[in-house]
Amino acid sequence: MNEQDIPIDIHLNKLLDWLISRRICPRDWQKNVIAVRKNINNAIQDMPAVDEIANLLAGTYINFFHCQRIVELLKETESSSKNIFGKYSSQRMKDWLEILKLYEKDNIYLAEAAQLLLRNIVYELPSLKRQLMKCKQIQEESTKKEADYAKNENAMRENYLSSCQNIGIEGKNIKKELLSLLDELPGALNAIAASAKDLSSIRNYYVSFLNFTLKKNMEGDCLLLLKHIIEKGNTTTFEWRTGEPPEVVEVTTPVLPLDVDCASTEAAEDQIDFGDFVTNSESGDDRSSSSPNGDFVHVDRDECKPDNGDQIDFGDSDINWDISVETSGTNNTAPFQVLDDGEGGKVARGFDALSVLENESTRNSFYNDLLELTTFLEQRLLEAETAGSDVLSSSLFHNAPSILQMQSTDGLKDMLNVVKSLSMQLMTTKLKHLYLIKSSPRYVDRLVDSLKSKLETAERMVDCQKAVKLKYHEAVKEEKTLDPKIRLIVEKTKILLSEVEQDISKRYKNRRVNIMGGLSAIQQINVY
């Protein structure tokens, strides 16, 4: 094989050392190239308006091969500056010819080109490529996060609308709508009391079962509040407690604000005023009263004066304004005191003025009665289904009353469904909130804050979407800047690589020169 056919393989990382070891370039080439770079910086300040020269000077580091091309172009633009001896009198040409002369001294241009190849291929291009990949990654992450934030926003808004729907409001002016719901509470409770009449036969069945199994009369000790509501409806607590309807009902009605702005912090006068019925005693001078038939009238102490103008003494000697409610056992019965208003009438006020289903204590007792009845029916149904036949018609109940013997499994299921339906009516989400609003003015603000927090979270999700969308556009903008820059460096690095290989080849009788790790590395980087 001829020597001409043997290629010269030089690894890119060893190219500069190879040139120095072959004494093509000196070891101290860097100190000589400083003067060259200084002359180039001065020379490029005054250049003719030629597109190719502008392209050579733009984008990448100017090297010896660029300078050669600039001189060739200047020979055309500066041809008129030749003197009679064939030399150029143009200062531009003189500057660039001097640059080429300094470059060619000790072949420092070749050492500089080798260093430039190493910097571009090993450091510059991989760094730009990593920035480009990071931009793409940011775009992908931003798109995913934006979708997640939008999903969370929709979820919070749906949660808000669902919560408002469960409470029974639209959600446009939360506090005002919540306070207006209090008007619906008496009607809802009266409807529940009316539905409770359907439990009369079920209660009788339960009482008969207890009477038969315990061998004693349980009528006066079993589900008393349920019995009271079945027989008399949603009466005042006074009537349940004393057994007699009041002649006068003094009830302090909540004072609702006329205009409630749920988007701002309300002043003290905009708060719901529940009066003093939340305590065990009444205070204050203005009272609303009603007759036993439910027609409300206004009672003012100032009107209760003798004709002679003397103030009536409201001390303990005339009327006891404090009502002591004492419970006894689970039946909520208590020794009672019939209060006299001075003319032999019975007055209900405070908790006594509330209906039994408005009063938290009696309402809980009623609910407990329903739970007791539910548990009993579930147990009876389980026994009937386990026995595989109607257990209540077995020999155990041979001498039982007909109401016990005639019940079937389907009948027990129907009774259980009726009781559970009434329990659910009493404890719907809407009514639970109304009970708390009725009993606590502060609960309104807490509920408003809870609902508004859902909307605030949704708004934060909107802000997060805007932030990630901005980040996405910034990444796209940076990618558009990096992409052409990488392409330009790749293109000019390929040209420089080829020129260095040709220059070295000329020094070794045009043998083929391969700079290993150069072109392959560029091709890997230049993948889009």
Side-chain angles (χ1 to χ4, degrees):
M1 180 180 292
N2 295 331
E3 184 181 356
Q4 288 293 113
D5 298 330
I6 301 175
I8 299 174
D9 296 333
I10 310 170
H11 199 280
L12 178 64
N13 293 335
K14 302 294 183 180
L15 178 59
L16 185 57
D17 294 336
W18 188 89
L19 293 172
I20 295 174
S21 65
R22 267 69 176 174
R23 297 186 179 181
I24 298 175
C25 302
R27 291 186 179 276
D28 59 349
W29 65 273
Q30 288 181 331
K31 68 178 183 180
N32 296 326
V33 84
I34 294 176
V36 180
R37 302 311 307 177
K38 183 177 180 181
N39 289 345
I40 291 176
N41 291 334
N42 294 332
I44 61 177
Q45 303 302 321
D46 180 26
M47 296 299 293
V50 179
D51 292 340
E52 189 173 350
I53 293 179
N55 293 334
L56 289 172
L57 298 177
T60 58
Y61 190 84
I62 299 176
N63 56 60
F64 170 77
F65 302 102
H66 292 152
C67 296
Q68 280 186 325
R69 182 57 184 164
I70 290 173
V71 169
E72 292 177 3
L73 294 173
L74 288 177
K75 286 179 181 179
E76 299 177 2
T77 60
E78 306 296 324
S79 60
S80 61
S81 64
K82 281 187 178 182
N83 55 28
I84 58 176
F85 300 104
K87 293 187 177 182
Y88 293 91
S89 60
S90 169
Q91 185 61 40
R92 291 174 180 170
M93 181 63 76
K94 289 181 180 179
D95 291 341
W96 286 103
L97 289 175
E98 178 65 21
I99 290 170
L100 289 180
K101 183 179 179 181
L102 293 175
Y103 255 139
E104 291 171 348
K105 183 180 180 181
D106 295 329
N107 300 314
I108 62 174
Y109 72 89
L110 206 54
E112 184 192 51
Q115 186 186 57
L116 185 58
L117 284 174
L118 184 66
R119 186 181 68 183
N120 285 353
I121 297 175
V122 177
Y123 301 105
E124 186 72 13
L125 286 174
S127 176
L128 292 175
K129 186 64 177 180
R130 285 193 295 270
Q131 292 181 41
L132 186 63
M133 296 303 296
K134 186 176 180 180
C135 290
K136 294 181 181 295
Q137 182 181 0
I138 290 175
Q139 293 174 41
E140 293 176 359
E141 292 177 352
S142 298
T143 302
K144 183 179 179 181
K145 287 182 178 180
E146 184 179 0
D148 291 341
Y149 289 140
K151 182 179 179 181
N152 292 337
E153 178 201 354
N154 293 333
M156 292 308 300
R157 293 192 187 280
E158 289 176 1
N159 191 346
Y160 171 78
L161 294 176
S162 176
S163 299
C164 291
Q165 185 177 7
N166 289 336
I167 299 174
I169 62 176
E170 294 183 10
K172 295 180 179 179
N173 192 326
I174 304 174
K175 189 167 186 177
K176 188 174 183 179
E177 293 174 14
L178 287 173
L179 296 179
S180 65
L181 287 180
L182 287 176
D183 297 335
E184 303 178 14
L185 183 59
L189 296 179
N190 290 335
I192 293 174
S195 300
K197 297 183 181 297
D198 297 336
L199 304 184
S200 178
S201 60
I202 303 176
R203 181 186 177 276
N204 293 336
Y205 170 69
Y206 179 43
V207 173
S208 298
F209 184 89
L210 292 180
N211 292 340
F212 177 74
T213 54
L214 299 178
K215 306 302 182 183
K216 64 177 181 179
N217 187 2
M218 299 295 295
E219 180 65 29
D221 299 321
C222 177
L223 307 180
L224 296 184
L225 189 52
L226 175 59
K227 178 183 178 182
H228 176 83
I229 292 178
I230 291 174
E231 294 176 351
K232 299 183 180 181
N234 188 26
T235 66
T236 62
T237 305
F238 180 91
E239 183 173 349
W240 152 249
R241 198 174 60 79
T242 63
E244 299 180 11
E247 295 180 0
V248 177
V249 178
E250 293 184 356
V251 57
T252 304
T253 57
V255 179
L256 303 182
L258 297 178
D259 186 15
V260 181
D261 184 8
C262 67
S264 61
T265 303
E266 292 79 2
E269 61 269 21
D270 286 338
Q271 301 294 330
I272 179 172
D273 181 8
F274 289 93
D276 298 326
F277 68 84
V278 296
T279 61
N280 289 334
S281 63
E282 291 289 330
S283 61
D285 295 333
D286 294 332
R287 301 178 183 277
S288 297
S289 301
S290 69
S291 60
N293 60 5
D295 296 329
F296 285 88
V297 295
H298 180 72
V299 177
D300 195 332
R301 288 189 183 183
D302 293 336
E303 297 177 357
C304 300
K305 294 182 180 180
D307 294 337
N308 59 10
D310 295 334
Q311 176 69 41
I312 294 179
D313 184 7
F314 287 92
D316 296 337
S317 60
D318 293 329
I319 300 176
N320 181 11
W321 292 94
D322 293 330
I323 302 175
S324 176
V325 180
E326 300 178 1
T327 60
S328 175
T330 58
N331 296 327
N332 204 33
T333 59
F336 59 88
Q337 178 183 7
V338 178
L339 300 178
D340 198 317
D341 64 354
E343 298 179 356
K346 302 178 182 66
V347 181
R349 59 184 178 279
F351 283 114
D352 275 359
L354 298 175
S355 69
V356 289
L357 293 182
E358 282 183 316
N359 191 330
E360 181 181 1
S361 175
T362 51
R363 182 176 64 248
N364 289 339
S365 296
F366 176 67
Y367 185 66
N368 289 337
D369 287 352
L370 295 179
L371 292 180
E372 181 179 346
L373 200 55
T374 300
T375 303
F376 164 73
L377 293 173
E378 288 176 344
Q379 182 63 30
R380 295 303 101 211
L381 183 60
L382 178 63
E383 292 176 356
E385 292 177 342
T386 302
S389 61
D390 193 356
V391 69
L392 298 180
S393 61
S394 64
S395 59
L396 180 64
F397 292 87
H398 181 69
N399 297 325
S402 59
I403 190 175
L404 300 181
Q405 296 186 27
M406 295 174 60
Q407 292 299 331
S408 63
T409 302
D410 292 337
L412 290 173
K413 289 181 179 179
D414 292 339
M415 288 190 291
L416 182 60
N417 290 334
V418 172
V419 178
K420 284 186 175 181
S421 175
L422 188 61
S423 298
M424 288 188 290
Q425 290 181 44
L426 184 65
M427 290 298 173
T428 61
T429 302
K430 179 178 180 179
L431 287 182
K432 286 180 181 179
H433 286 299
L434 290 181
Y435 299 151
L436 293 171
I437 293 173
K438 183 79 172 178
S439 62
S440 173
R442 294 182 180 180
Y443 180 76
V444 180
D445 294 327
R446 290 199 300 269
L447 184 56
V448 170
D449 292 339
S450 175
L451 291 173
K452 288 172 63 177
S453 67
K454 300 179 187 296
L455 285 181
E456 291 171 357
T457 302
E459 292 302 323
R460 285 197 298 271
M461 293 298 102
V462 173
D463 294 338
C464 290
Q465 290 179 61
K466 294 179 180 178
V468 296
K469 188 176 293 185
L470 177 62
K471 194 173 183 181
Y472 173 85
H473 290 303
E474 290 176 350
V476 171
K477 183 178 179 180
E478 185 177 356
E479 181 184 359
K480 291 180 178 179
T481 304
L482 289 173
D483 188 79
K485 185 176 181 180
I486 293 175
R487 292 181 183 275
L488 179 62
I489 294 176
V490 166
E491 179 183 353
K492 294 198 173 184
T493 302
K494 285 181 178 180
I495 296 173
L496 180 60
L497 183 65
S498 175
E499 291 171 337
V500 171
E501 289 177 343
Q502 293 176 10
D503 189 282
I504 296 175
S505 177
K506 292 177 182 179
R507 297 175 186 274
Y508 290 90
K509 300 178 182 180
N510 294 324
R511 288 172 61 184
R512 186 160 55 90
V513 175
N514 297 323
I515 298 179
M516 310 297 294
L519 185 60
S520 60
I522 293 175
Q523 290 174 344
Q524 291 178 0
I525 292 173
N526 193 25
V527 175
Y528 298 94

